[in-house]
Amino acid sequence: MKRIEPRTLSGFMELLPNDQVLFNKLKDSIEKTYLGNGFLPLDTPIIEASEVLLAKAGGETEKQIYQIKREDNSMTLRFDLTVPLAKYVAKNYANLSFPFRRYQIGKVYRGERPQKGRFREFYQCDIDIIGDTELSVVNDAEIPNIIYQILNRIGLEEFVIKINNRKILNGLFEEYNLKDQSADIMRIIDKVLKIGKDGVVEELKKLELQEQSIDQILDILLMKKNNVEMIQALESMDIQNETFKIGIEELKQVYQYALAFGMKKETIQIDLSISRGLDYYTGTVYETYLTKYPELGSICSGGRYDNLAEYYTDKLLPGVGISIGLTRLFDKMMELDLIKRDQSNISDVLIIPMTSKMDAIIPIYNQVKKNGVNAMIYYEKRSIKVMMHYASRLNIPYVMFIGDNELENNQVTLKNVATFEQQTITVEDAVKEIKHGKVIL
Amino acid sequence: MKRIEPRTLSGFMELLPNDQVLFNKLKDSIEKTYLGNGFLPLDTPIIEASEVLLAKAGGETEKQIYQIKREDNSMTLRFDLTVPLAKYVAKNYANLSFPFRRYQIGKVYRGERPQKGRFREFYQCDIDIIGDTELSVVNDAEIPNIIYQILNRIGLEEFVIKINNRKILNGLFEEYNLKDQSADIMRIIDKVLKIGKDGVVEELKKLELQEQSIDQILDILLMKKNNVEMIQALESMDIQNETFKIGIEELKQVYQYALAFGMKKETIQIDLSISRGLDYYTGTVYETYLTKYPELGSICSGGRYDNLAEYYTDKLLPGVGISIGLTRLFDKMMELDLIKRDQSNISDVLIIPMTSKMDAIIPIYNQVKKNGVNAMIYYEKRSIKVMMHYASRLNIPYVMFIGDNELENNQVTLKNVATFEQQTITVEDAVKEIKHGKVIL
């Protein structure tokens, strides 16, 4: 038979089982936190009508989409979870209760050029709170607290969630008559971590702005102070622009309520230089950095938008949300060894029959499982060495040998895979040992 | 602005949030059972190289695949989870431990003509145990016991798992010199539930077989006896074919061990008329029927195969597995009202601030959550009626009003959404009431 090489496409993550267990634990932690904060699950199709999915898209997005091969190009794979949400809320408006809090964890597709750390299929883990006509700013403070809970839960304790408010930026650009150049300016300022302040000034000069305006704006946007001082500095500025003032008030409330929700001060950082590239956001914006690994970029970003679904409905649907790019985050965490590998055992004990009396073995297996111990039986006939190796590779901490001798005496021989210690004891004692062992492992 | 109609493609399930909660509970029950039985998770890409995915395919499969639009037609959406498993095991052979027990729950794609109860995107929930060169028949007995656990767990108690062994069928056809017609014969016998025994005889006659052979084969394959008698009848037949005899021995062991694993007798039924259409299976086969709803067909099917991945590797990889078509099962369960709807609340209490002092509300929210109660705050300013309606639609059993009066007295007003009873009490007492209420609901 002619054989096909069993390959996986590049840009598609496919993990070995032990790594998949770790990935799933990470995903479960995120999902449990979302659920525990009252977000309802959604699971929209991966394929949508092209005209729906591309109602807004253009430029880079259009280049990266995967279309299903059909004469009419009418089906496309989703490239994010936000557009499907917009469609969903517009479509089901009458059947939803607002504020509509939803999470969705699912795969999205982008035909990026494959390279290390870039994926063509990847998980996004999104939460959004959608209001009907209006949505309180307190929601904006709840979102970073949820990210805070997740990062603590998965053991990433050294992080900072940067917050800003687009109204402050927009007001500022209005005040300095730079509204038309604001997108270019923010794009350049976004590079400050990479090219430094001097580099930013250099690039801004190319925009042919007044040097004085550049200096003043940079002094504000790159300001480094603690959060309270930052707010005070903004409030004391001699800028009368209304949008600017509303932005400060919102930022202040988000900060204050985020602390009330229980976030530690040092995990929030007001940073006026962040803006999120998209035109989409209109108020609060978030980015999240691991303190020790700023080079990873933001691992979790989002913000407030005025109108979720204007391409599909005339209802005004303001919202606030955030997204974790899980596939990339996991990839980086593995690379940096930030995930404990010893968590991935799926069974507590491997039962190894040393007899052909399976009718006698299975009841012992049942008894062990009934006592809350995850057990597996190794049915195949192999050498002890092979079977011990099997347990070891699957991180199963114990093996339980049961031969005719053991059966006669109502006992089992329990062996610790790590220490090789073994004892012949009753099933009850073996269960105790396995459970006890689990505690001290 | 020109608006696009926010539609979802036909043949794609998209649920409202409360139904999604029910769907996810069903999916979680399946996943937990798989995990609890020592199956490792896999999550292979939805898109695979076309040549890999279509190595074996032909006929109907090729017609139903979704290809990604590219000049070289090189990427295709998976249409099941078995082909990706075969690829995975062949590719990662050296890094896997055999027997390799894996589960995968994921979406697959088939371009079927959309009609009620047929989906183009649907979840499959698969388990397989793959051996290296050989695999004990005890594995074949463990599989139906896992299905048994799942169906009990999700409250579908009236079901029967039918088992058969292809070797019995193959041996029988060899014995009667009907090997070449066996596929046609089994296809016709498969219709017995629909067209009755007479209809089957009628159609078999068209194959131009000896009438005597037809009668004899039908007497065996449509035999109705209890399991023990069935095995005895098979053993006492005057048929010397070796394959037939091995099949009986395997079937007997599978039945016997399945009982040992804890399955109730009445949930297993040896049925010689089932064969699973595919050429793929070579030993034990399973089908699962809801006793009251045989018209649903098999909700969970599978079997034993000799060689998982012959298209990708020369390793001999026998396996046994089973698949639940979850999307269709859920759809039918909803239609037949087999899922309890009152399970779907995502929050235990909705906190309704009757004051603007959010700084005082949030600590109460934190206190409630710390005590293990899932809480949500309703931040928007709406009428009491609207807010009560919100709680009711989300199945939240309690609302907690907190106004300035309550704050002054360190109290809250707790209202039962169903009974409208309300009382003004301390937060501690409210937590007790909510937890107590949860128990008796």
Side-chain angles (χ1 to χ4, degrees):
Chain A
M1 178 182 292
K2 188 182 162 285
R3 296 216 158 78
I4 307 286
E5 198 211 324
R7 66 197 174 90
T8 300
L9 291 165
S10 69
F12 289 74
M13 180 182 272
E14 187 174 74
L15 300 168
L16 284 170
N18 285 352
D19 288 351
Q20 190 67 54
V21 171
L22 299 174
F23 183 93
N24 289 7
K25 284 195 177 173
L26 197 58
K27 183 152 73 73
D28 286 350
S29 295
I30 294 171
E31 182 160 24
K32 283 199 183 110
T33 311
Y34 287 168
L35 274 169
N37 285 283
F39 287 81
L40 288 160
L42 272 200
D43 183 5
T44 62
I46 282 174
I47 302 177
E48 298 268 9
S50 300
E51 57 161 10
V52 168
L53 221 44
L54 304 174
K56 177 188 181 182
E60 277 310 299
T61 306
E62 292 252 18
K63 277 185 219 151
Q64 294 186 347
I65 56 158
Y66 284 120
Q67 251 167 0
I68 298 293
K69 187 187 168 195
R70 282 160 68 107
E71 273 173 25
D72 57 0
N73 294 338
S74 58
M75 296 165 82
T76 297
L77 268 57
R78 67 186 178 203
F79 49 86
D80 71 8
L81 300 176
T82 304
V83 177
L85 172 66
K87 177 213 76 173
Y88 183 92
V89 176
K91 177 170 182 279
N92 298 299
Y93 174 81
N95 292 307
L96 299 177
S97 305
F98 294 91
F100 175 51
R101 299 161 71 96
R102 88 86 176 79
Y103 78 86
Q104 182 161 5
I105 297 177
K107 288 176 169 179
V108 304
Y109 296 82
R110 293 187 198 170
E112 305 211 47
R113 214 157 54 84
Q115 48 179 301
K116 205 173 139 40
R118 287 270 178 190
F119 296 93
R120 295 174 150 193
E121 174 186 71
F122 56 96
Y123 276 97
Q124 285 195 330
C125 308
D126 283 21
I127 41 171
D128 287 87
I129 307 174
I130 312 297
D132 186 1
T133 315
E134 52 189 18
L135 185 72
S136 159
V137 75
V138 192
N139 291 286
D140 299 35
E142 207 189 321
I143 297 284
N145 182 49
I146 292 165
I147 299 306
Y148 174 86
Q149 291 170 41
I150 288 172
L151 296 179
N152 277 296
R153 193 169 191 157
I154 65 178
L156 287 177
E157 278 158 26
E158 295 181 66
F159 61 88
V160 60
I161 300 177
K162 294 188 178 185
I163 58 171
N164 191 12
N165 193 299
R166 289 293 294 254
K167 295 193 178 92
I168 295 177
L169 300 178
N170 294 340
L172 211 56
F173 290 125
E174 278 172 26
E175 182 80 8
Y176 285 94
N177 283 316
L178 291 169
K179 220 174 145 185
D180 294 344
Q181 296 92 336
S182 62
D184 287 330
I185 295 173
M186 288 314 300
R187 186 177 42 74
I188 292 167
I189 287 178
D190 198 41
K191 297 191 208 166
V192 67
L193 273 183
K194 279 187 207 151
I195 61 177
K197 189 175 169 179
D198 292 345
V200 167
V201 172
E202 205 60 37
E203 290 212 19
L204 285 178
K205 277 186 187 156
K206 291 181 198 153
L207 295 182
E208 295 181 14
L209 313 174
Q210 277 198 318
E211 198 147 335
Q212 204 191 344
S213 305
I214 295 180
D215 286 347
Q216 284 174 340
I217 284 220
L218 282 186
D219 278 350
I220 298 171
L221 297 188
L222 300 181
M223 187 160 52
K224 294 262 177 259
K225 289 183 191 299
N226 75 36
N227 297 321
V228 173
E229 289 168 359
M230 186 82 90
I231 291 168
Q232 282 167 352
L234 285 168
E235 285 181 323
S236 65
M237 279 177 196
D238 185 25
I239 293 177
Q240 297 310 315
N241 181 287
E242 262 313 301
T243 310
F244 181 76
K245 284 183 176 173
I246 295 171
I248 295 172
E249 184 53 30
E250 288 183 2
L251 185 65
K252 189 175 162 181
Q253 285 189 45
V254 171
Y255 176 62
Q256 171 189 343
Y257 294 140
L259 294 185
F261 277 119
M263 288 183 73
K264 283 192 197 147
K265 261 192 200 116
E266 62 271 25
T267 61
I268 319 179
Q269 184 187 318
I270 296 174
D271 184 335
L272 302 178
S273 76
I274 71 159
S275 63
R276 306 298 309 143
L278 302 164
D279 289 334
Y280 191 55
Y281 296 109
T282 51
T284 311
V285 287
Y286 320 95
E287 293 188 348
T288 310
Y289 294 86
L290 299 185
T291 317
K292 281 191 190 162
Y293 310 99
E295 69 276 14
L296 294 193
S298 174
I299 58 168
C300 173
S301 314
R304 156 76 74 143
Y305 38 89
D306 273 346
N307 202 355
L308 173 72
E310 58 180 337
Y311 292 90
Y312 311 116
T313 177
D314 56 4
K315 305 279 179 210
L316 185 64
L317 300 166
V320 60
I322 205 159
S323 178
I324 302 175
L326 179 59
T327 301
R328 184 169 168 277
L329 177 61
F330 178 79
D331 187 55
K332 292 294 178 189
M333 285 178 76
M334 291 297 275
E335 196 181 309
L336 296 167
D337 212 16
L338 297 176
I339 298 182
K340 286 195 198 101
R341 287 193 164 267
D342 59 350
Q343 303 167 330
S344 67
N345 75 299
I346 198 165
S347 234
D348 305 319
V349 61
L350 181 69
I351 296 175
I352 298 182
M354 308 294 282
T355 164
S356 57
K357 294 176 187 143
M358 283 305 301
D359 281 325
I361 300 290
I362 294 174
I364 297 175
Y365 162 83
N366 289 342
Q367 183 185 349
V368 168
K369 288 194 77 172
K370 237 173 219 148
N371 282 288
V373 170
N374 260 351
M376 265 168 61
I377 309 178
Y378 195 98
Y379 307 112
E380 315 310 313
K381 284 176 188 56
R382 291 286 189 277
S383 69
I384 299 285
K385 199 181 147 198
V386 164
M387 295 188 284
M388 290 298 291
H389 186 57
Y390 182 79
S392 169
R393 279 182 77 166
L394 291 178
N395 296 331
I396 303 175
Y398 288 95
V399 296
M400 186 186 276
F401 297 102
I402 312 176
D404 290 324
N405 271 340
E406 278 88 354
L407 285 178
E408 254 169 53
N409 300 314
N410 281 315
Q411 291 187 310
V412 298
T413 296
L414 189 70
K415 183 167 189 153
N416 184 310
V417 175
T419 65
F420 278 64
E421 283 172 291
Q422 76 173 46
Q423 44 188 332
T424 301
I425 48 180
T426 63
V427 178
E428 291 78 16
D429 284 342
V431 166
K432 276 184 208 154
E433 162 80 20
I434 294 165
K435 285 184 156 179
H436 178 65
K438 277 170 77 174
V439 175
I440 58 161
L441 260 183
Chain B
M1 178 183 292
K2 187 182 163 287
R3 296 215 159 79
I4 307 285
E5 198 212 325
R7 66 196 174 89
T8 300
L9 291 166
S10 69
F12 289 75
M13 180 181 274
E14 186 174 74
L15 301 168
L16 284 170
N18 286 352
D19 289 351
Q20 189 67 55
V21 171
L22 299 175
F23 183 93
N24 289 7
K25 283 193 180 174
L26 197 58
K27 183 152 72 74
D28 286 351
S29 294
I30 295 171
E31 181 159 24
K32 282 198 184 113
T33 310
Y34 287 168
L35 275 169
N37 284 284
F39 287 80
L40 288 160
L42 272 200
D43 183 5
T44 62
I46 283 175
I47 302 177
E48 297 269 8
S50 300
E51 58 161 9
V52 169
L53 221 45
L54 303 174
K56 176 188 182 182
E60 278 310 299
T61 307
E62 292 254 18
K63 277 184 218 151
Q64 293 186 347
I65 56 158
Y66 284 119
Q67 249 167 0
I68 298 293
K69 187 186 168 196
R70 283 161 66 107
E71 273 173 26
D72 57 0
N73 294 338
S74 59
M75 294 165 84
T76 297
L77 268 56
R78 66 185 178 203
F79 50 86
D80 71 8
L81 300 177
T82 304
V83 177
L85 172 66
K87 176 213 77 175
Y88 183 91
V89 176
K91 177 171 182 277
N92 297 300
Y93 174 82
N95 292 306
L96 299 177
S97 305
F98 294 91
F100 175 51
R101 300 161 70 97
R102 88 84 176 79
Y103 78 88
Q104 181 160 6
I105 297 177
K107 289 176 169 178
V108 305
Y109 296 82
R110 293 188 198 169
E112 304 211 46
R113 215 158 53 85
Q115 50 179 302
K116 204 171 141 39
R118 287 270 178 188
F119 296 94
R120 296 175 149 189
E121 174 186 71
F122 57 96
Y123 276 97
Q124 286 195 330
C125 309
D126 283 21
I127 40 171
D128 287 88
I129 307 175
I130 311 297
D132 186 1
T133 316
E134 53 190 16
L135 185 72
S136 159
V137 75
V138 192
N139 292 286
D140 298 33
E142 207 189 324
I143 297 283
N145 182 49
I146 292 166
I147 299 307
Y148 174 86
Q149 291 170 41
I150 288 172
L151 295 178
N152 276 296
R153 192 169 192 157
I154 66 179
L156 288 177
E157 278 158 26
E158 296 182 66
F159 62 87
V160 59
I161 300 177
K162 295 188 179 184
I163 59 171
N164 191 10
N165 193 301
R166 290 291 297 253
K167 293 192 179 93
I168 295 178
L169 301 177
N170 293 340
L172 212 53
F173 291 126
E174 277 171 27
E175 182 79 7
Y176 285 93
N177 283 317
L178 292 168
K179 218 174 146 186
D180 294 343
Q181 296 92 335
S182 62
D184 288 330
I185 296 173
M186 290 314 302
R187 186 177 41 73
I188 293 168
I189 288 180
D190 199 40
K191 297 191 205 167
V192 68
L193 273 183
K194 281 187 205 151
I195 61 177
K197 189 175 168 179
D198 292 346
V200 167
V201 172
E202 205 61 38
E203 290 211 19
L204 283 178
K205 278 185 186 156
K206 291 181 198 154
L207 294 182
E208 297 181 13
L209 313 174
Q210 278 199 317
E211 199 147 333
Q212 202 192 347
S213 305
I214 295 180
D215 287 347
Q216 285 174 339
I217 283 220
L218 282 185
D219 278 350
I220 298 171
L221 297 188
L222 300 181
M223 188 161 49
K224 295 264 177 258
K225 290 182 189 298
N226 74 36
N227 296 321
V228 174
E229 288 167 0
M230 185 83 92
I231 292 168
Q232 282 166 352
L234 285 167
E235 285 180 326
S236 65
M237 279 177 197
D238 184 26
I239 294 177
Q240 297 312 314
N241 181 288
E242 262 314 300
T243 310
F244 181 77
K245 286 184 174 171
I246 295 171
I248 295 172
E249 183 54 31
E250 286 184 2
L251 185 65
K252 189 176 163 183
Q253 285 189 45
V254 170
Y255 176 63
Q256 170 190 345
Y257 295 141
L259 293 185
F261 277 120
M263 288 182 74
K264 283 191 197 148
K265 264 194 196 109
E266 61 271 25
T267 60
I268 319 179
Q269 184 187 320
I270 296 175
D271 183 337
L272 302 178
S273 76
I274 71 159
S275 62
R276 303 301 307 143
L278 301 164
D279 290 332
Y280 190 55
Y281 296 110
T282 52
T284 311
V285 288
Y286 320 96
E287 293 189 350
T288 310
Y289 294 86
L290 299 185
T291 316
K292 283 191 190 162
Y293 310 100
E295 70 275 16
L296 293 192
S298 175
I299 59 168
C300 174
S301 314
R304 156 76 72 143
Y305 38 90
D306 273 347
N307 202 354
L308 173 71
E310 57 180 337
Y311 292 89
Y312 311 117
T313 176
D314 57 4
K315 304 279 181 211
L316 184 64
L317 300 167
V320 60
I322 205 159
S323 177
I324 303 174
L326 180 59
T327 302
R328 183 168 168 279
L329 177 62
F330 178 80
D331 187 55
K332 292 293 176 188
M333 286 178 75
M334 290 297 276
E335 196 181 308
L336 297 167
D337 212 16
L338 297 176
I339 297 182
K340 287 195 198 101
R341 286 191 164 269
D342 59 350
Q343 305 166 329
S344 67
N345 75 301
I346 198 166
S347 233
D348 305 319
V349 61
L350 180 69
I351 296 175
I352 297 183
M354 311 293 283
T355 164
S356 58
K357 293 176 188 147
M358 284 304 303
D359 281 327
I361 301 289
I362 294 174
I364 297 175
Y365 163 83
N366 288 343
Q367 184 185 347
V368 169
K369 289 195 76 173
K370 235 172 223 152
N371 282 287
V373 169
N374 259 352
M376 264 168 61
I377 310 178
Y378 195 98
Y379 306 113
E380 315 311 312
K381 283 175 189 57
R382 291 285 189 280
S383 70
I384 299 285
K385 200 183 145 194
V386 164
M387 294 188 286
M388 290 298 290
H389 186 58
Y390 182 81
S392 169
R393 280 183 75 165
L394 291 179
N395 295 332
I396 303 175
Y398 289 94
V399 295
M400 185 186 277
F401 296 102
I402 311 174
D404 289 326
N405 271 342
E406 279 88 353
L407 285 178
E408 253 170 52
N409 300 315
N410 280 316
Q411 291 187 311
V412 298
T413 296
L414 190 70
K415 183 167 189 154
N416 184 310
V417 175
T419 64
F420 277 64
E421 283 173 291
Q422 74 173 47
Q423 43 188 334
T424 301
I425 48 180
T426 63
V427 177
E428 291 77 14
D429 284 342
V431 166
K432 276 184 208 155
E433 162 80 20
I434 294 165
K435 285 185 157 179
H436 178 65
K438 279 171 73 173
V439 174
I440 58 161
L441 260 183

